[in-house]
mmCIF file of all heavy atoms in Angstrom:
data_model
loop_
_atom_site.group_PDB
_atom_site.id
_atom_site.type_symbol
_atom_site.label_atom_id
_atom_site.label_comp_id
_atom_site.label_asym_id
_atom_site.label_seq_id
_atom_site.Cartn_x
_atom_site.Cartn_y
_atom_site.Cartn_z
ATOM 1 N N VAL P 257 66.008 -20.633 183.526
ATOM 2 C CA VAL P 257 65.238 -19.633 182.801
ATOM 3 C C VAL P 257 63.826 -19.519 183.400
ATOM 4 O O VAL P 257 63.198 -20.475 183.675
ATOM 5 C CB VAL P 257 65.116 -20.031 181.275
ATOM 6 C CG1 VAL P 257 64.086 -19.167 180.566
ATOM 7 C CG2 VAL P 257 66.411 -19.961 180.583
ATOM 8 N N GLU P 258 63.458 -18.222 183.662
ATOM 9 C CA GLU P 258 62.116 -17.972 184.167
ATOM 10 C C GLU P 258 61.066 -18.233 183.071
ATOM 11 O O GLU P 258 61.070 -17.559 182.033
ATOM 12 C CB GLU P 258 61.975 -16.554 184.672
ATOM 13 C CG GLU P 258 60.615 -16.238 185.304
ATOM 14 C CD GLU P 258 60.209 -17.205 186.391
ATOM 15 O OE1 GLU P 258 61.019 -17.326 187.391
ATOM 16 O OE2 GLU P 258 59.093 -17.697 186.324
ATOM 17 N N HIS P 259 60.268 -19.281 183.253
ATOM 18 C CA HIS P 259 59.345 -19.686 182.158
ATOM 19 C C HIS P 259 57.889 -19.325 182.475
ATOM 20 O O HIS P 259 57.022 -19.606 181.700
ATOM 21 C CB HIS P 259 59.412 -21.165 181.946
ATOM 22 C CG HIS P 259 59.093 -22.005 183.168
ATOM 23 N ND1 HIS P 259 60.026 -22.206 184.179
ATOM 24 C CD2 HIS P 259 57.968 -22.591 183.513
ATOM 25 C CE1 HIS P 259 59.437 -22.916 185.125
ATOM 26 N NE2 HIS P 259 58.149 -23.147 184.759
ATOM 27 N N ARG P 260 57.679 -18.624 183.571
ATOM 28 C CA ARG P 260 56.278 -18.237 183.895
ATOM 29 C C ARG P 260 56.176 -16.753 183.656
ATOM 30 O O ARG P 260 57.051 -15.927 183.870
ATOM 31 C CB ARG P 260 56.032 -18.470 185.378
ATOM 32 C CG ARG P 260 56.076 -19.916 185.696
ATOM 33 C CD ARG P 260 55.787 -20.189 187.165
ATOM 34 N NE ARG P 260 56.307 -21.422 187.545
ATOM 35 C CZ ARG P 260 56.055 -21.957 188.723
ATOM 36 N NH1 ARG P 260 55.393 -21.349 189.651
ATOM 37 N NH2 ARG P 260 56.575 -23.148 189.055
ATOM 38 N N ALA P 261 54.985 -16.373 183.153
ATOM 39 C CA ALA P 261 54.704 -14.961 182.903
ATOM 40 C C ALA P 261 53.449 -14.627 183.699
ATOM 41 O O ALA P 261 52.513 -15.366 183.741
ATOM 42 C CB ALA P 261 54.465 -14.747 181.404
ATOM 43 N N PRO P 262 53.464 -13.492 184.404
ATOM 44 C CA PRO P 262 52.268 -13.109 185.143
ATOM 45 C C PRO P 262 51.085 -12.849 184.258
ATOM 46 O O PRO P 262 51.276 -12.313 183.151
ATOM 47 C CB PRO P 262 52.717 -11.843 185.922
ATOM 48 C CG PRO P 262 53.919 -11.371 185.182
ATOM 49 C CD PRO P 262 54.525 -12.511 184.428
ATOM 50 N N ASN P 263 49.912 -13.241 184.718
ATOM 51 C CA ASN P 263 48.692 -13.043 183.956
ATOM 52 C C ASN P 263 47.886 -11.961 184.695
ATOM 53 O O ASN P 263 47.344 -12.222 185.767
ATOM 54 C CB ASN P 263 47.919 -14.323 183.823
ATOM 55 C CG ASN P 263 46.611 -14.177 183.088
ATOM 56 O OD1 ASN P 263 46.230 -13.030 182.741
ATOM 57 N ND2 ASN P 263 45.927 -15.262 182.860
ATOM 58 N N PRO P 264 47.817 -10.774 184.127
ATOM 59 C CA PRO P 264 47.073 -9.653 184.799
ATOM 60 C C PRO P 264 45.580 -9.959 184.951
ATOM 61 O O PRO P 264 44.921 -9.375 185.766
ATOM 62 C CB PRO P 264 47.328 -8.442 183.915
ATOM 63 C CG PRO P 264 47.693 -8.991 182.565
ATOM 64 C CD PRO P 264 48.343 -10.335 182.790
ATOM 65 N N ASP P 265 45.066 -10.890 184.200
ATOM 66 C CA ASP P 265 43.648 -11.223 184.199
ATOM 67 C C ASP P 265 43.363 -12.403 185.169
ATOM 68 O O ASP P 265 42.206 -12.848 185.237
ATOM 69 C CB ASP P 265 43.114 -11.540 182.812
ATOM 70 C CG ASP P 265 43.258 -10.367 181.878
ATOM 71 O OD1 ASP P 265 43.083 -9.189 182.322
ATOM 72 O OD2 ASP P 265 43.599 -10.584 180.704
ATOM 73 N N TYR P 266 44.389 -12.943 185.776
ATOM 74 C CA TYR P 266 44.211 -14.087 186.634
ATOM 75 C C TYR P 266 43.370 -13.771 187.844
ATOM 76 O O TYR P 266 43.576 -12.758 188.540
ATOM 77 C CB TYR P 266 45.579 -14.623 187.127
ATOM 78 C CG TYR P 266 45.450 -15.804 188.128
ATOM 79 C CD1 TYR P 266 45.099 -16.999 187.760
ATOM 80 C CD2 TYR P 266 45.689 -15.559 189.464
ATOM 81 C CE1 TYR P 266 44.920 -18.051 188.648
ATOM 82 C CE2 TYR P 266 45.567 -16.515 190.432
ATOM 83 C CZ TYR P 266 45.224 -17.811 190.005
ATOM 84 O OH TYR P 266 45.074 -18.849 190.901
ATOM 85 N N ILE P 267 42.385 -14.634 188.094
ATOM 86 C CA ILE P 267 41.529 -14.523 189.281
ATOM 87 C C ILE P 267 41.597 -15.904 190.025
ATOM 88 O O ILE P 267 41.298 -16.902 189.413
ATOM 89 C CB ILE P 267 40.060 -14.209 188.964
ATOM 90 C CG1 ILE P 267 39.990 -12.905 188.161
ATOM 91 C CG2 ILE P 267 39.209 -14.128 190.204
ATOM 92 C CD1 ILE P 267 38.630 -12.635 187.573
ATOM 93 N N PRO P 268 42.031 -15.913 191.264
ATOM 94 C CA PRO P 268 42.133 -17.151 191.996
ATOM 95 C C PRO P 268 40.779 -17.888 192.030
ATOM 96 O O PRO P 268 39.731 -17.278 192.071
ATOM 97 C CB PRO P 268 42.546 -16.753 193.410
ATOM 98 C CG PRO P 268 43.128 -15.357 193.307
ATOM 99 C CD PRO P 268 42.392 -14.730 192.108
#
Side-chain angles (χ1 to χ4, degrees):
V257 169
E258 181 55 53
H259 61 279
R260 298 181 199 187
N263 178 354
D265 299 323
Y266 173 75
I267 301 170

